[in-house]
Amino acid sequence: MLQAHFFITVSKMMFLVLLLSIVLCCGGAQRSEPMFTAITNTVLPPDYESNPTQLNYGVAITDVDNDGDFEIVVAGYNGPNLVLKYIKEKGRLVNIAVDERSSPYYPLRDRQGNAIGVTACDIDGDGGEEIYFLNTNNAFSGMATYSDKLFKFRNGRWEDILSDDINIRRGVANRFAGRSVACIDRKGTGRYSIYIANYADRKVGAHALIELDEAASDVAKGVIVLSNVAAEAGVNKYTGGRGVTVGPILSSAASDIFCDNENGPNFLFQNKGDGTFADMAASAGVDDAYQHGRGVALADFNRDGKVDIVYGNWNGPHRLFLQMSTNGKVRFRDIATQKFSMPSPIRTVIAADFDNDQELEVFFNNIAYRGSSANRMFRVGRREHADPFMEELNPGDASEPEGRGTGGAVTDFDGDGMLDLILSHGESMAQPLSVFKGKQGLKNNWLRVIPRTKYGSFARGAKVVLYTKKSGAHLRIIDGGSGYLCEMEPVAHFGLGKDEASSLEVTWPDGRIFTRGIAEGEMNSVLEITYPLDEDSVTKPTAIECGQGFSLNENGHCGDIDECIQYPFVCPREKPICINTYGGYKCRPNRRCNRGFEPNEDGTACVAQVAYFGSYPSSASRFHAHFLHSSATLLALGLYLHIYSL
């Protein structure tokens, strides 16, 4: 009797171990509350004019009609490009690029182009954004037969300036099959270059960088002369270009470029400060040479003031690279859990706070090209002195298991403070666009910040830090690229939960910094931040509260308090080593390591001083592997004992 009771107890224990191993393997159960509800039939019902059933790809957000509101620009592949404007009175998105030659937006349709990528920025410093379409013309790699288009609003309508005689003579128009395009202010002048991630065929189709030739141009007269400066800048690389993202990744202010590639290592181009670049991907551990990148986004997931990189690999492990600094050397560490990194036919990746709860969500947009492949979503939340947690969420209607996802972007087109999600489809099947509205966090606080360049255009590549009363500092990058084939809105969107903002700080690509306080009445609103034209205006003369862990420095900006210096004996005896962190500090044991090794961040172990974090399993994955091995051993033992008892 005792023996039977013993084996029943052991069997129950083994069953619990099995359940626990499944939970840990999968990164936790998916939350049941749906994050999104579909509003396509309400705001953008499928029809011939505004939401045709066609092959679409990239999506970009910009102000096309210069009325102060954003439009959604969609790259049409076997149909026209679309420009969707929200009409508040009707509660509808309407395509303003109508099929009428007299319309100023008609040229943007360009249905011959087979457009795939799209981006927008101010290339000539006139205060308005130009729109660049990357056209593949049915070519997968190498040469294409139809050039890209760069549209400028000139002479009362949108015109392709790559077709101007002077630019034709210069041969500057890109005639190669590419994927993503992005904008970068490489010299901090307020004028942007177009970075083109071409898909090379051996030595045909290097990455390109097109920008204004200031000496040869006369912007006031509409004469826009362009040059390809990729060789000069050091980015004319041959590879299978895929995703591009732009912002101060390694630099404190200047714009850097991250490209995740196919059939070759990724690029992490660090701006040298003069508009030329050096590839730091291998030394930083993000080259990921044996994977095939797609969608990519920049964010600060653990709120340490450093820019992290998240991207998807086509049917390979998705990555979440946390930026670290060890002995002055920048390295990235992949912290993706097994469930987060689960391979999928990934396209666009979006990082944003969809429910305004202060924590970022990562949205994986997949393409169902060989059977169903639902979109997936994770909350990536900060933990004190530990890697962020990753909780899988229920996307609700945005899961689209049969969706042929090809692109997507976020913006708040109806002005309610909640980010709206727009997804495009195509490639293997014609499908209309989808639009989704967030269902969670409707009562949470929020703030949206739009920095402007010295010319009044959107400051893509700028960094915005929002200081709060309770939760420290939150960082956003106005990305000049991101997603895949796409470009997000030029807005720093902050969800605040029940917290309140105290001050904000904007850093432009030229290093200029502006700090200002946030009044209580400015919560739940949109703030436009103009470029400070003189040094005396870098701080707005209002009371600035930096929040816990930060203080106002002599320059009038919020800076991190070094508690280890200010309070020398803050750490207890058992953990005497104080390490200053962004907005706080942590204590670790006084571990001594042999030559060639150094303490890890927590001082709990010695690690090699020269480590590579690019292609090895993440720490979370290694933990899961060890745990599952142990679980399997225990389970086998339990089954053996159970069978023996029979």
Side-chain angles (χ1 to χ4, degrees):
M1 188 74 178
L2 178 63
Q3 183 185 30
H5 176 74
F6 170 76
F7 285 119
I8 291 172
T9 302
V10 170
S11 299
K12 289 180 178 178
M13 290 176 61
M14 294 305 103
F15 180 70
L16 290 175
V17 169
L18 176 61
L19 288 179
L20 182 59
S21 67
I22 292 172
V23 168
L24 287 177
C25 167
C26 299
Q30 186 186 85
R31 285 185 51 173
S32 59
E33 303 87 355
M35 290 290 292
F36 292 107
T37 185
I39 58 171
T40 310
N41 291 334
T42 303
V43 301
L44 190 62
D47 62 16
Y48 180 77
E49 290 296 334
S50 295
N51 193 6
T53 299
Q54 62 180 33
L55 305 181
N56 294 311
Y57 277 93
V59 182
I61 310 297
T62 185
D63 184 1
V64 177
D65 58 2
N66 197 32
D67 69 343
D69 294 326
F70 292 127
E71 281 74 50
I72 303 163
V73 182
V74 182
Y77 188 77
N78 69 338
N81 302 322
L82 306 172
V83 179
L84 302 175
K85 182 176 184 61
Y86 184 69
I87 309 299
K88 295 180 181 179
E89 295 76 15
K90 297 180 179 180
R92 296 276 294 269
L93 288 164
V94 176
N95 180 28
I96 61 174
V98 294
D99 191 11
E100 297 177 7
R101 293 185 179 273
S102 60
S103 169
Y105 311 108
Y106 176 82
L108 296 174
R109 294 171 63 86
D110 192 32
R111 60 180 304 141
Q112 292 179 295
N114 297 121
I116 185 170
V118 60
T119 194
C121 53
D122 182 8
I123 68 166
D124 55 9
D126 68 348
E129 290 201 314
E130 282 69 47
I131 304 174
Y132 190 101
F133 286 100
L134 191 152
N135 297 318
T136 63
N137 200 233
N138 292 312
F140 180 82
S141 62
M143 291 291 296
T145 58
Y146 189 89
S147 71
D148 295 350
K149 300 289 186 181
L150 177 54
F151 290 102
K152 175 180 176 58
F153 195 77
R154 185 178 60 178
N155 302 319
R157 60 191 291 108
W158 288 90
E159 298 178 343
D160 174 32
I161 56 178
L162 286 171
S163 299
D164 290 351
D165 289 341
I166 190 168
N167 291 320
I168 292 175
R169 291 196 299 270
R170 287 187 165 212
V172 70
N174 186 65
R175 287 186 173 273
F176 302 105
R179 297 301 185 269
S180 292
V181 282
C183 293
I184 179 168
D185 181 4
R186 68 184 183 106
K187 292 184 177 180
T189 63
R191 295 187 179 96
Y192 289 81
S193 310
I194 307 291
Y195 187 97
I196 306 165
N198 284 320
Y199 201 103
D201 182 1
R202 293 179 291 274
K203 291 297 181 179
V204 177
H207 282 204
L209 190 64
I210 295 177
E211 69 181 25
L212 179 77
D213 184 336
E214 294 184 44
S217 299
D218 189 338
V219 177
K221 295 182 178 180
V223 178
I224 310 299
V225 183
L226 304 169
S227 297
N228 183 358
V229 297
E232 170 192 326
V235 298
N236 58 330
K237 306 295 184 181
Y238 295 93
T239 189
R242 286 291 184 172
V244 182
T245 190
V246 174
I249 305 169
L250 302 178
S251 304
S252 60
S255 289
D256 307 313
I257 307 169
F258 177 79
C259 306
D260 58 356
N261 300 316
E262 187 167 62
N263 298 317
N266 300 330
F267 303 145
L268 177 52
F269 293 120
Q270 182 174 14
N271 197 320
K272 295 181 181 179
D274 59 358
T276 63
F277 299 86
D279 186 8
M280 307 299 292
S283 63
V286 292
D287 52 342
D288 212 7
Y290 301 105
Q291 297 300 326
H292 309 294
R294 290 298 191 273
V296 58
L298 302 176
D300 178 11
F301 289 104
N302 58 349
R303 289 190 232 153
D304 64 350
K306 301 182 180 71
V307 178
D308 310 314
I309 305 172
V310 59
Y311 64 89
N313 283 312
W314 175 259
N315 284 328
H318 306 325
R319 308 292 193 190
L320 199 162
F321 279 113
L322 215 61
Q323 185 173 165
M324 306 164 58
S325 180
T326 305
N327 294 331
K329 297 180 180 179
V330 174
R331 296 172 179 167
F332 287 83
R333 179 167 58 90
D334 182 17
I335 65 166
T337 61
Q338 276 195 332
K339 195 156 192 180
F340 187 96
S341 64
M342 187 182 297
S344 68
I346 188 69
R347 286 308 178 95
T348 294
V349 174
I350 298 172
D353 188 354
F354 288 103
D355 55 3
N356 288 339
D357 68 344
Q358 296 189 327
E359 306 294 357
L360 292 170
E361 286 81 45
V362 175
F363 185 84
F364 290 121
N365 177 219
N366 296 316
I367 180 171
Y369 82 117
R370 290 181 180 175
S372 300
S373 186
N375 301 327
R376 300 168 67 223
M377 190 175 188
F378 291 82
R379 173 172 291 116
V380 182
R382 179 180 181 272
R383 291 189 294 185
E384 190 75 19
H385 307 326
D387 289 343
F389 69 84
M390 298 177 199
E391 173 191 13
E392 183 163 22
L393 305 176
N394 177 3
D397 292 341
S399 63
E400 292 196 315
E402 300 302 326
R404 270 59 172 181
T406 51
V410 294
T411 187
D412 178 16
F413 59 74
D414 56 4
D416 65 353
M418 298 289 293
L419 290 175
D420 305 304
L421 174 66
I422 300 94
L423 298 180
S424 61
H425 314 89
E427 190 161 303
S428 57
M429 178 185 290
Q431 291 180 337
L433 300 165
S434 297
V435 187
F436 303 94
K437 171 72 67 179
K439 296 183 64 175
Q440 306 298 324
L442 299 179
K443 295 183 179 180
N444 287 337
N445 290 330
W446 53 273
L447 191 70
R448 289 167 58 78
V449 182
I450 305 177
R452 297 281 185 167
T453 68
K454 65 178 68 176
Y455 303 109
S457 189
F458 301 120
R460 300 188 187 265
K463 176 172 62 177
V464 182
V465 178
L466 188 71
Y467 298 92
T468 62
K469 294 183 177 180
K470 299 177 183 178
S471 57
H474 301 252
L475 181 151
R476 299 288 188 270
I477 302 298
I478 310 294
D479 201 325
S482 79
Y484 175 60
L485 316 174
C486 300
E487 183 183 49
M488 302 300 122
E489 62 173 359
V491 181
H493 179 93
F494 296 93
L496 293 169
K498 304 308 176 185
D499 202 354
E500 295 181 2
S502 57
S503 63
L504 68 83
E505 183 175 280
V506 178
T507 303
W508 280 264
D510 64 352
R512 187 65 62 90
I513 301 174
F514 174 80
T515 305
R516 60 158 287 183
I518 304 295
E520 185 176 346
E522 291 180 313
M523 290 295 299
N524 303 320
S525 68
V526 180
L527 300 181
E528 297 252 356
I529 306 298
T530 57
Y531 180 86
L533 295 176
D534 57 81
E535 292 292 340
D536 294 333
S537 64
V538 296
T539 302
K540 187 173 181 178
T542 57
I544 295 176
E545 299 179 30
C546 298
Q548 185 175 354
F550 301 89
S551 63
L552 206 62
N553 60 26
E554 62 276 6
N555 296 320
H557 307 310
C558 290
D560 174 53
I561 297 174
D562 192 334
E563 290 87 355
C564 300
I565 295 177
Q566 190 165 342
Y567 311 105
F569 304 107
V570 69
C571 290
R573 182 176 298 177
E574 64 272 15
K575 292 184 177 181
I577 306 300
C578 181
I579 301 174
N580 185 56
T581 62
Y582 189 67
Y585 68 95
K586 61 182 178 181
C587 301
R588 69 167 175 82
N590 187 15
R591 175 175 288 274
R592 297 186 179 183
C593 300
N594 294 329
R595 185 177 180 181
F597 293 84
E598 60 192 0
N600 63 4
E601 285 189 300
D602 298 322
T604 56
C606 292
V607 296
Q609 287 182 335
V610 180
Y612 176 72
F613 299 104
S615 296
Y616 296 112
S618 67
S619 58
S621 297
R622 289 193 294 273
F623 167 77
H624 280 101
H626 290 313
F627 182 85
L628 290 177
H629 177 74
S630 302
S631 300
T633 303
L634 290 172
L635 181 61
L637 178 61
L639 289 173
Y640 172 80
L641 292 173
H642 182 69
I643 293 171
Y644 179 79
S645 69
L646 298 175

